[in-house]
Amino acid sequence: MRQYFWAIGFSVFATMAQAQSHDPKEQRAGDEAHPKILAQMGGAYDDVRLTAYVERIGRSLVRHSRLPNAKWTFTVIDSPVVNAFALPGGYIYVTRGLLALANSEAELAGVLGHEIGHVTSRHFAERKERAGKANAGLIAGAVIGGLLGGKDGARDVLKTGSQIAKGYLAGHSREHEFEADRVGVNLLLKAGYDPHAQADFLDSMGDQQGLAAALAGKSYDPNTVTFFASHPATAKRVREAIKLAGGGSGRRFEGRYLAAIDGMIYGDSPKEGFVRARGFAHPNLRFAFDVPDGFSITNSANNVTARGPEGAVMVFDLGTKEAIRPDRYIRDVWVGKIAKYYEVGKLQQLKRVRINGLDGAQAVLPIQTKNGRRTAVLTTVAYNKRIYRLQGVAPPGAKSVLRSLSAASRSFRPLSEWEAAQLRPYRISTYEVSRGDSINLLAATIPMQRERERRFRVLNNYDDGRNLLAGDVVKMITE
């Protein structure tokens, strides 16, 4: 009955709301948070044509929403993470990572409609109210409706000293996600899009999460969800979205969507640096380093992490811009920072070293973690008035791994202007399948080393039972 009322009464309610705007307090909150979000997440993607395309789709949807005349701002975030989220006051964000995963305009419209639903349903106000009721030091974040949630979402995790309060709010957040799915399906129908596209994208998103887990050496089950998860299990959302779509139909516009994203940066951008083979290189800051054989690398906005055998980890980040000698930084600054999180032993073997012509230092620090004793190899390098840090951690008995971590840390090196200029981002390109092409052949051209066929299938939403047909247009990753 409730669903029937929503579908039939939606246009009447929207007509009554023609003159409405966003709540003034929520508008101010969104206006204040917007520049901070851009600063934290890599800024807006610099492509006027693509941004205009996304905005046009968004505005075709808000015309059918509860607030068609309100202020709406659509932004493509320059991030490879697959996500979309919203701020109060009509701020809607999608990442270029999400644009790369979607395969039609209707799929993107489904995502935008979902986020519009968070705003028009005033989930920010409800979250704020729940935060007040839950209390326990809980702080409600300004970002609402991150598509992935958790640490991979749009920094919308609620900070709390009470896990029970956090779980209480997470449960309501899952309700918000289902409600936003319902709004998104209705907006798709109103705007003439195929509503089944929303379910198809959620399915692709689940496949992408499975791929990411495999690359990180972890398992993934889309049918499970924990009490504290901020979003419903993906497979469940797919089934619910399909049920909501019912017998509705509409257009997908695959061709013009693929044309719109053709040439878009895929993966890391130059300002973030690039993972290449078993190394990392930053063309803007002009440095590079390698990780040991058998380690897999993950680049993020704050650091570069490489994970290897026997639970070994190597983390690279920026220590400070202060003028301080590398060995003194380890002794007087870094050890103290580590001691805030772990029980540390006595600093050992501290020495000044030359690392590819640069002033550096290296030391060994025993630490106690929740997984037991570990040995940390701490390396600092002074370069371009900055201190860069490379930390390798492994069990104390894994001597060969510790030696490889020490050697890799000392691979930090400057890049010449010419070397930096040779580093270019990967990009999405479209390709029309010819007779004789196969997924194996096309996937072999993907410049990444691992899971090439699976990457191709996830990127193009080709499940294991679907093969290429001559004339298909598919997405490729090119250098």
Side-chain angles (χ1 to χ4, degrees):
M1 179 67 72
R2 184 176 180 182
Q3 183 176 332
Y4 176 82
F5 174 78
W6 175 266
I8 301 300
F10 187 87
S11 60
V12 175
F13 189 92
T15 301
M16 293 171 62
Q18 288 287 323
Q20 289 187 4
S21 297
H22 302 294
D23 178 87
K25 291 183 180 178
E26 294 183 12
Q27 186 68 66
R28 284 195 297 274
D31 292 345
E32 291 174 3
H34 176 63
K36 298 176 184 177
I37 290 295
L38 293 180
Q40 289 175 355
M41 300 199 65
Y45 183 53
D46 187 15
D47 187 324
V48 175
R49 180 183 61 87
L50 182 60
T51 300
Y53 174 73
V54 172
E55 182 171 350
R56 179 178 63 76
I57 297 169
R59 296 201 178 281
S60 73
L61 296 168
V62 296
R63 283 201 295 267
H64 304 286
S65 75
R66 294 182 179 183
L67 300 171
N69 297 324
K71 174 186 175 183
W72 293 91
T73 304
F74 297 89
T75 303
V76 178
I77 294 289
D78 189 10
S79 169
V81 174
V82 179
N83 208 0
F85 54 96
L87 287 178
Y91 288 94
I92 308 295
Y93 305 85
V94 293
T95 62
R96 57 176 171 79
L98 185 144
L99 297 182
L101 184 63
N103 282 285
S104 70
E105 187 174 299
E107 289 186 16
L108 174 58
V111 171
L112 295 175
H114 173 97
E115 301 305 331
I116 290 167
H118 279 300
V119 176
T120 58
S121 300
R122 300 197 65 210
H123 289 160
F124 174 72
E126 289 187 38
R127 173 173 287 186
K128 197 171 182 181
E129 181 181 353
R130 296 289 179 185
K133 290 181 178 179
N135 205 352
L138 193 105
I139 304 171
V143 178
I144 56 175
L147 197 62
L148 292 181
K151 63 183 179 182
D152 293 323
R155 304 175 190 271
D156 63 338
V157 180
L158 299 177
K159 300 176 182 179
T160 178
S162 167
Q163 287 296 308
I164 298 300
K166 184 177 179 181
Y168 172 71
L169 287 177
H172 285 277
S173 178
R174 289 194 290 272
E175 292 176 9
H176 289 171
E177 294 304 310
F178 284 125
E179 182 177 8
D181 282 339
R182 290 194 293 270
V183 175
V185 167
N186 275 281
L187 292 180
L188 284 175
L189 286 166
K190 296 285 185 179
Y193 290 110
D194 181 357
H196 290 85
Q198 182 167 343
D200 288 345
F201 180 76
L202 289 172
D203 207 9
S204 290
M205 195 176 72
D207 292 339
Q208 172 64 30
Q209 289 178 278
L211 172 61
L215 291 172
K218 301 177 181 178
S219 60
Y220 170 70
D221 182 359
N223 295 294
T224 62
V225 65
T226 64
F227 176 68
F228 298 122
S230 60
H231 289 71
T234 302
K236 185 176 182 180
R237 283 181 60 186
V238 171
R239 290 191 289 268
E240 288 294 322
I242 290 173
K243 189 186 301 183
L244 287 169
S249 62
R251 301 287 300 277
R252 294 229 175 183
F253 302 111
E254 294 96 335
R256 72 187 189 192
Y257 180 78
L258 294 178
I261 66 170
D262 191 23
M264 181 183 68
I265 289 178
Y266 178 85
D268 298 329
S269 70
K271 63 187 177 184
E272 297 164 333
F274 303 130
V275 173
R276 294 291 186 266
R278 67 177 187 90
F280 178 81
H282 203 301
N284 290 2
L285 299 178
R286 289 178 52 179
F287 67 81
F289 65 89
D290 299 323
V291 302
D293 288 332
F295 278 62
S296 59
I297 314 174
T298 302
N299 185 20
S300 71
N302 299 317
N303 57 47
V304 180
T305 304
R307 300 184 180 277
E310 301 188 54
V313 180
M314 180 177 174
V315 180
F316 167 86
D317 63 4
L318 175 64
T320 182
K321 293 183 180 180
E322 299 173 8
I324 184 172
R325 228 167 60 183
D327 58 325
R328 291 177 179 171
Y329 180 83
I330 292 178
R331 184 190 65 202
D332 300 336
V333 180
W334 199 1
V335 171
K337 291 179 181 292
I338 295 172
K340 291 181 179 180
Y341 302 97
Y342 304 101
E343 181 182 340
V344 302
K346 184 178 179 180
L347 187 67
Q348 305 168 10
Q349 304 174 36
L350 176 63
K351 58 186 176 183
R352 297 179 68 181
V353 295
R354 294 290 288 177
I355 296 177
N356 293 307
L358 304 172
D359 286 331
Q362 200 162 52
V364 173
L365 181 69
I367 60 175
Q368 182 71 34
T369 73
K370 64 180 180 180
N371 296 318
R373 288 192 309 119
R374 295 290 186 269
T375 297
V377 178
L378 307 181
T379 305
T380 51
V381 184
Y383 177 54
N384 282 344
K385 299 180 180 180
R386 297 171 182 254
I387 294 290
Y388 290 96
R389 309 187 304 193
L390 298 98
Q391 179 179 196
V393 180
K399 294 183 179 179
S400 63
V401 176
L402 286 167
R403 283 195 296 270
S404 67
L405 286 169
S406 177
S409 296
R410 296 175 69 164
S411 70
F412 184 97
R413 59 195 179 277
L415 293 176
S416 68
E417 184 177 349
W418 182 87
E419 288 174 315
Q422 306 312 302
L423 294 168
R424 295 184 177 88
Y426 297 142
R427 293 186 182 271
I428 291 289
S429 64
T430 56
Y431 174 77
E432 184 174 340
V433 175
S434 301
R435 191 179 301 275
D437 282 333
S438 69
I439 287 179
N440 282 338
L441 286 173
L442 295 185
T445 69
I446 290 177
M448 290 80 167
Q449 292 184 324
R450 300 171 57 204
E451 299 280 3
R452 287 175 172 172
E453 181 174 334
R454 188 171 181 180
R455 287 180 192 270
F456 179 90
R457 288 186 177 277
V458 170
L459 190 65
N460 291 285
N461 196 19
Y462 275 65
D463 60 31
D464 291 338
R466 182 182 174 190
N467 294 312
L468 294 175
L469 296 175
D472 285 353
V473 179
V474 295
K475 292 176 287 186
M476 302 291 292
I477 305 171
T478 57
E479 292 189 78

